[in-house]
Amino acid sequence: MFGKECLLAVRVFTAESGLNPKAVGDNGKSIGIAQINYVHWHKVSCNLFTTKCNVVLAKQIRDSSGWYPWTVYRLGTY
């Protein structure tokens, strides 16, 4: 799904959630494997705790905003 950025996506999502689809961020506002922030939840009608739904939305976010929405990417801690 992420093409040439597949390994980057795996590294970012690993740093964000440990690749745990049931992960909830410390602030309770980011969920799932890609730690989708609550500001994006309104964009889907599927369960963001399912890997497919979470990753599809992550791809949409990446396509529109780059990797900037992920803190670990901005900080280089992925």
Side-chain angles (χ1 to χ4, degrees), residues 8-19:
L8 176 58
V10 170
R11 289 177 64 196
V12 168
F13 301 159
T14 298
E16 287 283 353
S17 70
L19 297 181

Side-chain angles (χ1 to χ4, degrees), residues 1 9 11 17 19-20 22 29 31 35 51 54 57 72:
M1 180 174 293
R11 289 177 64 196
S17 70
L19 297 181
N20 177 0
K22 303 296 183 196
K29 295 180 180 179
I31 60 174
Q35 289 294 278
T51 299
N54 201 275
L57 182 54
V72 297

